[in-house]
Amino acid sequence: MSEAVETPARRAFYDKIDKQNLTPLWTVLSSIITPEPKSAAQPYLWRFDEIRDYMIEAGGLITAKEAERRVLVLENPGLRGKSSITTSLYAGVQLVLPGEVAPAHRHSQSALRFVLQGEGAHTTVGGERTKMHVGDFIITPSQSWHDHGNDSDKPIFWLDGLDVPLVSMLDASFMEHWTSDEQPVSRPEGDSLARYGANLLPVDQKTRNLTSPVFNYPYARTREALETMRRSHEFDPCHGLKMRYTNPETGEHAIPTIGAFIQLLPKGFATSRYRSTDATVMTVVEGTGRTKIGDRTFEWKPQDIFVVPSWHSVVHEADEDAVIFSFSDRPVQEKLGLYREDRGNA
Ligand code: GTQ
């Protein structure tokens, strides 16, 4: 249905009620309730080589301590000024130089880290420290204290994913700083992975936390799982071999607001057209290839980061064995009954 024509009498009426903060629905209905998702977000790819050079430059301009977090925000070209990579999610690339500390704070926003380059820096979350290795998927639950540090001799770069725009939309943001740069370490390293990440749970544990108690999913384990599974040659036409990170207490997504995924595309594999309502941020861990998003094609290599807006068709092609990490707001949409996908008819 097209919008109602504007007559002088109608215009005069709109102007009159406008002063009372009233608007006629019939002039906006077709733009607020669309027949299918119409995102302002655009498909886009950031080359890690370019981001890395700018981050090193930022490293000479400001310390991690002064910046609190030395991050370059990946702003979707269709959402400039909103600190958003998709309508609901934030992404940035964070750099911690050798000897630096990003001071302890906590906030309502949940965060994930996916390590892009560098080895042996650490993050401390809720009193437990974990070393960060390339490909590790690390969680900072809502309201947990966290600080990052780098005792290694190389810079570390990681991709941050947060539910910042979603929390802003709900006006539910709280944030506090710890009294010193680093929180005390109160648990041994590896404790949560041993306790919750070995297909075991403490026998009398009754709590079912919204966020996974495992906060570092090491890439070595993830990669080995993918390598073993590929031997069955059971590949999904749309996804290759795609797994989701889970909360072992509940089987739900590891973070309540952000779904995180890892997928293997074997050399030469081309996926079937697929689209879904969860706009998705992807980063390449291994391999080279290209992804067609809507009618645009992006060539990728390791550490590049790209974004697929809601309801845009996706086709991946891997030139070599490729591993892609991704995240989206899928858990939110599933919980609200809004998640939709379209396999092959996109
Ligand atoms: O590391 O705590 O990219 O608080 C944005 C906000 C990272 C962090 C970001 C943050 C952090």
Side-chain angles (χ1 to χ4, degrees):
M1 219 186 70
S2 59
E3 265 168 32
V5 272
E6 193 179 284
T7 63
R10 287 174 181 176
R11 180 74 255 161
F13 174 69
Y14 303 160
D15 290 346
K16 185 165 65 183
I17 65 169
D18 180 67
K19 297 183 182 67
Q20 311 300 322
N21 300 304
L22 294 167
T23 284
L25 173 63
W26 58 93
T27 64
V28 293
L29 181 57
S30 65
S31 60
I32 60 174
I33 303 186
T34 57
E36 56 179 62
K38 287 241 178 310
S39 182
Q42 296 170 21
Y44 194 73
L45 179 142
W46 290 263
R47 294 187 194 295
F48 180 70
D49 291 346
E50 291 174 8
I51 298 176
R52 191 183 192 285
D53 288 347
Y54 288 127
M55 301 259 4
I56 294 291
E57 207 176 321
L61 290 172
I62 192 162
T63 62
K65 186 171 167 160
E66 194 191 347
E68 189 159 335
R69 297 295 184 261
R70 189 198 293 106
V71 174
L72 293 182
V73 178
L74 306 178
E75 279 202 334
N76 191 293
L79 304 169
R80 292 308 308 273
K82 296 182 192 289
S83 298
S84 301
I85 190 162
T86 70
T87 306
S88 61
L89 295 175
Y90 158 106
V93 175
Q94 181 158 177
L95 165 65
V96 184
L97 289 168
E100 285 191 321
V101 169
H105 68 199
R106 65 174 181 176
H107 40 69
S108 314
Q109 292 79 2
S110 297
L112 65 82
R113 330 279 168 194
F114 192 80
V115 183
L116 300 172
Q117 201 173 81
E119 286 292 328
H122 61 264
T123 182
T124 309
V125 178
E128 186 178 331
R129 180 169 283 197
T130 190
K131 284 223 175 60
M132 305 175 86
H133 308 283
V134 169
D136 289 357
F137 165 64
I138 298 168
I139 296 176
T140 310
S142 173
Q143 290 301 358
S144 60
W145 293 108
H146 53 287
D147 48 272
H148 318 303
N150 187 352
D151 299 330
S152 83
D153 58 3
K154 291 193 186 67
I156 185 158
F157 299 85
W158 67 75
L159 174 65
D160 280 324
L162 285 86
D163 52 10
V164 168
L166 181 67
V167 174
S168 296
M169 197 269 269
L170 299 170
D171 284 336
S173 176
F174 293 91
M175 202 268 197
E176 293 165 87
H177 295 95
W178 185 258
T179 45
S180 51
D181 286 352
E182 293 179 286
Q183 66 183 298
V185 174
S186 57
R187 307 178 74 83
E189 188 164 342
D191 186 71
S192 61
L193 189 61
R195 212 170 281 272
Y196 300 100
N199 297 319
L200 299 167
L201 286 176
V203 65
D204 284 322
Q205 176 150 324
K206 298 286 188 288
T207 55
R208 295 280 182 270
N209 291 295
L210 285 176
T211 305
S212 172
V214 175
F215 76 106
N216 188 345
Y217 296 69
Y219 188 61
R221 282 198 188 184
T222 304
R223 188 67 183 86
E224 192 188 340
L226 294 173
E227 203 53 40
T228 303
M229 283 181 280
R230 75 181 299 169
R231 291 194 227 136
S232 73
H233 298 284
E234 286 167 13
F235 296 107
D236 180 280
C238 295
H239 302 305
L241 180 53
K242 186 169 181 179
M243 308 295 285
R244 83 184 155 86
Y245 292 89
T246 61
N247 174 347
E249 284 184 354
T250 61
E252 300 272 358
H253 291 276
I255 304 173
T257 49
I258 312 176
F261 311 89
I262 193 91
Q263 85 195 91
L264 177 93
L265 302 168
K267 179 182 163 91
F269 196 88
T271 61
S272 299
R273 272 161 83 88
Y274 173 82
R275 60 182 174 172
S276 60
T277 50
D278 59 331
T280 302
V281 180
M282 303 193 142
T283 186
V284 181
V285 197
E286 299 176 27
T288 55
R290 66 202 56 75
T291 299
K292 190 170 181 205
I293 308 170
D295 53 14
R296 295 182 61 189
T297 300
F298 298 90
E299 301 281 334
W300 40 255
K301 60 182 192 305
Q303 287 92 47
D304 289 349
I305 300 155
F306 58 97
V307 56
V308 180
S310 169
W311 217 236
H312 281 55
S313 69
V314 182
V315 174
H316 302 294
E317 274 175 34
D319 294 336
E320 309 160 13
D321 282 354
V323 179
I324 296 176
F325 169 82
S326 58
F327 65 92
S328 78
D329 63 11
R330 181 166 170 168
V332 178
Q333 296 200 29
E334 286 175 347
K335 283 280 183 313
L336 301 179
L338 294 169
Y339 182 73
R340 249 201 232 199
E341 59 181 6
D342 175 1
R343 296 174 56 92
N345 308 313

